[in-house]
Amino acid sequence: MAHLISPSALSADFGNLERDIRMLNESQSDWVHCDVMDGNFVPNISFGIPVLEAIKKASTKPLDVHLMIEDPGRYLELFKKAGADILTVHQEAVIHLDRVLHAIRDLGMKAGVALNPGTPVESLREVIHLCDLVLIMSVNPGFGGQKFIPQACAKILRLKKLMAEMGSDALIEVDGGVNEETGSKLVEAGADVLVAGSWVFNSPDPKARIATLKEINPNTFRV
Ligand code: DX5
Ligand code: ZN
């Protein structure tokens, strides 16, 4: 499967949100990545339900919602109603991960689990069969524009091994510090979905940046 691109709306211009989402509609992006932060799980506050609803209204692409919030199990229905298609919770923020992943699927959404850079892939062994997606964080979550943590590539390989052992076909998504160079390394390591915020939006031509990420060929790029 060719890899997917999920530009992060966190780096959009919120004064012109509809314009930026329509730009994504016309781009080669596959999903729209929406970062919800509660100022508790991460040291930053981003946006919540009303903004997600506005994105949903303007978007023709699936919403890939990344919850950086404590105890996300309390809000699953709200995020479903707001338009989430893929709902990703952090392993570190959930006590009853098995229950929460079942609940996300029962609501008709794809279920994802995100791992902070300090969290091993092994922590997913007992729930990997309930994951439609695993999100490997290649920065410490909370802010756009941070530097890529290169260990993410080896982590993809360890996750692939675990998935093969457990018979999982979850998608592997990577988030943080993604640009043409790091994105190429990630696709080569086996990433299925690239999230990119600042590298896409802090450019005079975001559509061209999305196309660049989409056109990465894992077989021809070597660094
Ligand atoms: C960070 C968020 C990311 C963020 C990525 O906590 O989860 O999705 O938007 O931004 P860049 O691509 O600028 O690192
Ligand atoms: Zn994110």
Side-chain angles (χ1 to χ4, degrees):
M1 184 195 85
H3 61 278
L4 307 178
I5 309 299
S6 191
S8 173
L10 187 65
S11 290
D13 175 356
F14 284 84
N16 292 287
L17 187 57
E18 186 178 356
R19 180 202 66 192
D20 281 4
I21 299 301
R22 290 194 193 289
M23 178 279 292
L24 294 182
N25 291 346
E26 294 162 9
S27 78
Q28 291 186 59
S29 79
D30 296 281
W31 299 345
V32 182
H33 188 80
C34 301
D35 289 301
V36 178
M37 304 181 188
D38 67 354
N40 191 19
F41 179 70
V42 288
N44 195 12
I45 298 174
S46 58
F47 56 79
I49 300 293
V51 172
L52 273 178
E53 286 171 346
I55 294 174
K56 186 70 180 180
K57 212 169 135 194
S59 181
T60 57
K61 316 254 170 151
L63 297 199
D64 167 31
V65 178
H66 176 192
L67 297 183
M68 285 160 275
I69 66 176
E70 287 292 351
D71 201 0
R74 289 177 291 174
Y75 306 108
L76 305 180
E77 267 190 70
L78 275 181
F79 285 107
K80 168 68 183 176
K81 279 195 195 123
D85 295 283
I86 302 122
L87 194 63
T88 296
V89 298
H90 265 264
Q91 186 273 351
E92 306 84 1
V94 179
I95 295 173
H96 302 291
L97 201 48
D98 179 285
R99 176 188 292 155
V100 167
L101 292 171
H102 272 293
I104 294 172
R105 283 182 165 180
D106 287 349
L107 285 165
M109 295 177 285
K110 298 286 184 201
V113 179
L115 298 177
N116 282 336
T119 305
V121 297
E122 192 56 37
S123 63
L124 295 183
R125 181 176 290 273
E126 305 305 329
V127 290
I128 193 75
H129 62 291
L130 300 173
C131 298
D132 299 301
L133 176 146
V134 176
L135 173 52
I136 292 179
M137 291 305 302
S138 43
V139 297
N140 289 291
F143 304 93
Q146 301 184 85
K147 198 170 173 308
F148 180 75
I149 298 175
Q151 281 82 353
C153 293
K155 208 166 173 180
I156 292 175
L157 302 180
R158 287 192 289 276
L159 176 58
K160 279 191 154 318
K161 189 163 170 275
L162 173 73
M163 286 170 50
E165 276 171 42
M166 303 306 282
S168 161
D169 61 354
L171 295 177
I172 302 177
E173 182 175 45
V174 186
D175 183 7
V178 172
N179 54 34
E180 183 178 10
E181 187 192 339
T182 58
S184 299
K185 292 178 184 171
L186 291 166
V187 170
E188 193 173 331
D192 300 301
V193 190
L194 298 178
V195 176
S198 53
W199 194 72
V200 165
F201 282 96
N202 297 350
S203 152
D205 192 351
K207 278 192 249 182
R209 290 247 157 130
I210 292 167
T212 298
L213 292 176
K214 188 72 185 171
E215 284 154 19
I216 290 171
N217 183 339
N219 301 317
T220 56
F221 192 92
R222 290 286 184 281
V223 280

